[in-house]
Amino acid sequence: MNNTFDKVTFKLLLATTMREKEDGYVVSEIFNRYPSIQELLEVTEEELLTIKGIGKVKAKQIVAALKLARMQPTPVEERFTIRSPEDAYTFLKDMQYLTQEHFVVLGLNTKNEVLFRETVFIGSLNASIVHPRETFKHLIRRSCASAIVAHNHPSGNPQPSREDIEVTKRLNEVGKVVGIEILDHVIVGQEQYISLKEKGYL
């Protein structure tokens, strides 16, 4: 008998707890927001309440079920290591197919392994809209050592705009204050990318 909890087991656990289908909206949305087992185990009632279809009762049931799951051994998850801008682009290459601009944060540990990927903003980039609070919230919560931010240009041309550069500088300054270094800002285009680190903006 396998006593190790994996993602399939967690899906079944959540579906059973909420009396939902494993491929239903609520279960799928939970896994979209918390894709790794570690993130899922750390989720709070307050965070769950932001998901449509989860009320106070369901949130309490989910957290209680996850507390029981913590007592079981969980598998060691293989993590993607980013050693260069090209590695970051490889990890984020799927962004080239998005029809809107998505601003993404990758949280890294001390070994430059990706702990999580979070989309923090969708829409045209603007220094006043991409708020450092949203960018650093998950990084601080997961005690990340550093981060890489990225966004896509639906036009396919990854050349940075003035706004891209302003956002980069602003986040870099905040990172120095909170102690989480922004290693790079990667702009994803059609089968190409630009690293603002390599361009000298970081």
Side-chain angles (χ1 to χ4, degrees), residues 28 58 69 139 185:
S28 298
K58 276 189 179 179
L139 297 171
H185 182 172

Side-chain angles (χ1 to χ4, degrees), residues 98-169:
L98 298 171
T99 56
Q100 279 184 287
E101 284 192 20
H102 283 57
F103 190 80
V104 168
V105 177
L106 300 181
L108 310 178
N109 61 18
T110 54
K111 297 178 181 177
N112 281 9
E113 296 172 333
V114 178
L115 297 177
F116 71 86
R117 169 179 175 168
E118 185 77 23
T119 300
V120 295
F121 180 75
I122 299 174
S124 297
L125 221 57
N126 182 295
S128 62
I129 295 176
V130 179
H131 201 285
R133 180 180 61 244
E134 294 303 313
T135 304
F136 283 91
K137 178 173 67 176
H138 297 282
L139 297 171
I140 293 169
R141 181 170 177 261
R142 293 294 303 275
S143 300
C144 294
S146 59
I148 289 173
V149 296
H151 77 283
N152 62 304
H153 281 179
S155 67
N157 182 355
Q159 288 298 324
S161 66
R162 181 176 56 82
E163 288 79 12
D164 296 341
I165 295 166
E166 285 179 6
V167 167
T168 304
K169 290 180 176 178

Side-chain angles (χ1 to χ4, degrees), residues 6-109:
D6 57 16
K7 287 186 179 181
V8 174
T9 310
F10 270 101
K11 274 200 173 184
L12 179 60
L13 172 70
L14 292 180
T16 304
T17 300
M18 295 185 293
R19 296 180 181 176
E20 300 271 352
K21 294 181 179 179
E22 288 181 55
D23 59 351
Y25 168 78
V26 176
V27 175
S28 298
E29 184 62 18
I30 290 173
F31 273 84
N32 285 339
R33 294 196 189 191
Y34 312 101
S36 76
I37 290 175
Q38 190 59 43
E39 285 177 282
L40 191 60
L41 289 173
E42 293 175 1
V43 75
T44 64
E45 286 183 32
E46 291 74 18
E47 289 171 325
L48 289 170
L49 287 171
T50 65
I51 298 175
K52 184 181 178 182
I54 297 182
K56 288 185 178 181
V57 174
K58 276 189 179 179
K60 286 182 183 295
Q61 290 173 337
I62 294 168
V63 169
L66 291 173
K67 281 182 180 177
L68 290 174
R70 282 196 200 103
M71 300 175 188
Q72 299 291 331
T74 54
V76 176
E77 296 180 80
E78 287 188 22
R79 293 187 172 125
F80 189 89
T81 303
I82 295 180
R83 299 185 180 88
S84 66
E86 187 175 359
D87 288 340
Y89 170 64
T90 299
F91 189 77
L92 297 162
K93 199 173 182 180
D94 60 301
M95 293 179 70
Q96 69 181 305
Y97 303 113
L98 298 171
T99 56
Q100 279 184 287
E101 284 192 20
H102 283 57
F103 190 80
V104 168
V105 177
L106 300 181
L108 310 178
N109 61 18

